[in-house]
């Protein structure tokens, strides 16, 4: 389900889960089977991310388990769970029949532990939940509050249904793409009286034609007129941190950048803002503008814009 080999490390499993969650989460994927597929991805991650469940799953054998699940005749052998310490699961969805046959309805042989005084429920903190949140770049400069509607899959009466809740999220100033915002206690419910897990929101920035972020640094295209590029000028620029005035040095050249130190994404060491200068040509739509272009051509009779290009 996760597309990882049996030798996958915990980091490989986490990376695969997060990639698939971003692809198939019902908030991001409107395919009819997105909810059911996300539930299956969550279940696979729950087994492989838990050291004991993974060991039990590997001990049983994938092929035997699959045959038993498909024929509805599979039963774990007697006392096969001895030697494994299981705690009850805390997913926000009901498990498949295969999962419950392997681990019990609560994800851990009924979610109970053996003791000299009989069986008792083991309190287990809820698992952390994961979701994606897309922000405007300016949110990283100013901080913000956003309302996030989170949809999770829950199974009732044998059917998967969407369950939505709206959360108010505080966006910290200086957040970067790829970082996570932790909402304490907003994850999956715990069992046996234990508290819920946390909700982890992975941050990305919406595409913006004006600027792009690379770590703490921000890059922005700044169009300049031919006379500004040639003679230099002071121009007003709207940046993610607000409006500012910059000096364009005379003698523009293609690919030139202006660095505004400390004007990138805030932080202990703030990033820089790089203005990438681009030449903007005015249209020759009137007689006056066409005359101006002719005068410009006459002023530079020896100028060769295609110097070095073979004819």
């Amino acid at each position: 389900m996760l597309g990882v080999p049996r030798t996958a490390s915990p980091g490989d499993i986490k990376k695969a889960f997060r990639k698939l969650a971003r692809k198939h989460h019902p908030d991001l994927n409107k395919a009819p089977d997105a909810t059911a597929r996300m539930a299956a991805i969550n279940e696979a991650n729950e087994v492989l991310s838990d050291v004991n469940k993974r060991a039990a799953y590997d001990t049983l054998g994938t092929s035997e388990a699959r045959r038993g699940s498909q024929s509805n005749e599979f039963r774990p052998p007697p006392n096969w769970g001895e030697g494994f310490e299981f705690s009850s699961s805390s997913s926000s969805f009901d498990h498949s029949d295969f999962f419950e046959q392997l681990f019990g309805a609560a994800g851990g042989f009924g979610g109970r532990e053996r003791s000299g005084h009989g069986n008792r429920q083991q309190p287990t903190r809820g698992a952390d939940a994961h979701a994606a949140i897309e922000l405007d770049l300016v949110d990283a400069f100013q901080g913000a509050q956003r309302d996030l509607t989170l949809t999770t899959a829950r199974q009732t009466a044998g059917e998967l249904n969407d369950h939505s809740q709206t959360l108010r999220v505080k966006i910290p100033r200086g957040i970067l793409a790829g970082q996570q915002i932790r909402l304490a206690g907003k994850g999956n419910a715990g069992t046996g009286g234990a508290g819920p897990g946390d909700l982890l929101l992975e941050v990305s920035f919406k595409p913006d034609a004006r600027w792009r972020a690379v770590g703490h640094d921000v890059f922005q295209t700044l169009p300049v007129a031919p006379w500004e590029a040639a003679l230099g000028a002071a121009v007003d620029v709207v940046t993610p941190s607000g409006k500012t005035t910059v000096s364009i040095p005379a003698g523009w050249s293609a690919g030139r950048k202006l660095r505004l130190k400390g004007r990138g994404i805030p932080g202990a060491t703030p990033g820089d803002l790089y203005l990438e200068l681009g030449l903007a040509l005015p249209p020759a739509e009137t007689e006056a503008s066409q005359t101006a272009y002719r005068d410009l051509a006459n002023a530079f009779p020896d100028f060769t814009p295609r110097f070095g290009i073979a004819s």
Side-chain angles (χ1 to χ4, degrees), residues 14-87:
K14 181 178 180 181
K15 183 178 179 180
F17 169 72
R18 289 169 64 179
K19 180 179 180 180
L20 290 171
R22 286 193 293 267
K23 180 179 180 181
H24 295 289
H25 196 284
D27 282 352
L28 305 174
N29 189 329
K30 302 306 179 184
D33 65 342
T35 297
R37 193 166 185 84
M38 191 66 225
I41 291 168
N42 279 332
E43 182 176 282
N45 180 62
E46 182 174 343
V47 173
L48 297 182
S49 296
D50 184 287
V51 174
N52 296 316
K53 285 192 180 76
R54 178 175 177 174
Y57 182 83
D58 289 342
T59 299
L60 185 65
T62 305
S63 59
E64 178 185 345
R66 283 177 177 167
R67 287 198 304 273
S69 177
Q70 292 169 356
S71 63
N72 293 323
E73 295 176 354
F74 166 73
R75 292 291 183 274
N79 302 320
W80 82 281
E82 291 184 358
F84 297 107
E85 295 285 337
F86 279 92
S87 61

Side-chain angles (χ1 to χ4, degrees), residues 110-173:
R112 301 186 181 278
E113 58 178 3
R114 290 178 294 276
S115 72
H117 302 288
N119 293 340
R120 57 188 175 88
Q121 181 96 18
Q122 179 182 353
T124 304
R125 177 184 177 274
D128 291 339
H130 297 262
I133 184 170
E134 195 174 45
L135 306 175
D136 294 317
L137 183 60
V138 294
D139 293 337
F141 282 79
Q142 304 169 0
Q145 284 192 343
R146 293 286 181 268
D147 289 335
L148 173 68
T149 300
L150 181 67
T151 302
T152 55
R154 292 186 179 179
Q155 191 170 30
T156 55
E159 294 184 358
L160 279 172
N161 297 294
D162 289 343
H163 172 76
S164 298
Q165 58 176 326
T166 300
L167 304 173
R168 176 147 292 186
V169 182
K170 182 178 181 181
I171 310 301
R173 186 171 177 265

Side-chain angles (χ1 to χ4, degrees), residues 233-239 242-248 260 263 275:
V235 300
D236 293 333
V237 183
V238 177
T239 74
K243 189 175 181 180
T244 188
T245 301
V246 298
S247 296
I248 306 297
L260 276 60
R263 294 296 295 264
L275 299 177

